[in-house]
Amino acid sequence: MGDTKEQRILNYVQQHAKPGDPQSVMDAFDTYCSEERAMHVGAVKGTWPNCRRWPRNGNPELARLLPPGGRLLTMEMNPDYAAITRQMLSLAGLQDQVTILIGASQDLIPQLKTKYDVDTLDMVFLDHWKDRYLPDTRLLEECGLLRKGTVLLADNVIVPGAPDFLEYVRGSTKFECTHYSSYLEYRETVDGLEKALYKGPSSP
């Protein structure tokens, strides 16, 4: 894989985190990313109510908070990044609680029910290509993966922005939306997260 940014992050975390301690892994991750920016929500934005931190791929903090029997599925197109994520999760002691699905979201979403034994999703965190936010949200609906109470949490809806997604969820009676203003990771640029609570397919 060479000396990629992701490999450098992993090497740093392996050197500075305490094995089996998810918080230590996250702290080391945050420390490194404060110097070399990565696709990571960070310690500041990740402190909005009812949410801790949301790094790209297989969040140790979220996995630690799963209820008994809960599962965390994360999608990654790049097999090399998926391998790094597995090592990060193993370091945190959470490898048995997270399933990494390799492939494009538009290919994996239709397989969730049949191949991965998913009925409906409690929460969906959107932090991939911004032009996929809307089509993937519609695909989740079409595949019957959303239930009343499912939360969609979309990052970077201001910078770089996901205007078509915001227009759709804010204009639909199927969603109840709340915006959380914040800053772009490790910068002073205003950004935000959008929480879209799914109320059902035929909400008045």
Side-chain angles (χ1 to χ4, degrees):
M1 286 181 282
D3 186 29
T4 64
K5 179 189 298 184
E6 290 75 17
Q7 188 64 53
R8 291 193 295 273
I9 293 172
L10 175 62
N11 292 341
Y12 181 90
V13 173
Q14 288 175 328
Q15 293 170 12
H16 294 85
K18 179 181 178 181
D21 184 344
Q23 187 61 56
S24 175
V25 170
M26 289 308 309
D27 289 343
F29 197 111
D30 283 334
T31 298
Y32 186 92
C33 291
S34 66
E35 299 297 327
E36 182 176 13
R37 186 173 178 268
M39 289 184 67
H40 170 57
V41 169
V44 176
K45 185 186 290 183
T47 56
W48 70 280
N50 302 317
C51 171
R52 285 292 295 131
R53 300 178 183 179
W54 302 89
R56 185 180 191 228
N57 298 327
N59 185 341
E61 187 70 9
L62 179 58
R64 187 177 68 170
L65 299 176
L66 286 172
R71 293 189 296 162
L72 174 61
L73 305 178
T74 183
M75 299 178 181
E76 173 55 63
M77 289 187 63
N78 188 315
D80 291 342
Y81 294 167
I84 289 174
T85 299
R86 288 192 184 95
Q87 294 180 70
M88 196 82 74
L89 288 165
S90 180
L91 180 63
L94 298 170
Q95 66 276 7
D96 295 333
Q97 296 165 263
V98 180
T99 300
I100 302 171
L101 312 182
I102 300 177
S105 56
Q106 62 266 32
D107 298 326
L108 292 171
I109 289 172
Q111 301 177 34
L112 290 178
K113 282 182 176 285
T114 57
K115 189 173 180 179
Y116 298 103
D117 195 31
V118 174
D119 181 17
T120 56
L121 300 165
D122 296 320
M123 197 195 77
V124 179
F125 181 55
L126 301 171
D127 192 23
H128 55 322
W129 298 113
K130 310 315 166 193
D131 61 1
R132 289 299 315 171
Y133 281 19
L134 177 55
D136 283 349
T137 295
R138 286 176 166 161
L139 188 56
L140 288 166
E141 291 183 79
E142 293 168 7
C143 292
L145 289 160
L146 304 184
R147 58 161 178 80
K148 185 176 181 179
T150 296
V151 171
L152 304 184
L153 182 64
D155 193 21
N156 304 125
V157 295
I158 305 301
V159 180
D164 56 346
F165 168 81
L166 290 180
E167 181 180 7
Y168 176 71
V169 295
R170 290 176 178 177
S172 172
T173 60
K174 294 179 288 186
F175 294 95
E176 178 182 320
C177 296
T178 306
H179 185 75
Y180 296 89
S181 183
S182 187
Y183 293 94
L184 195 62
E185 296 83 350
Y186 310 107
R187 301 183 184 181
E188 295 184 359
T189 303
V190 175
D191 191 16
L193 300 97
E194 190 79 5
K195 174 186 174 184
L197 177 69
Y198 188 66
K199 299 192 294 182
S202 57
S203 296

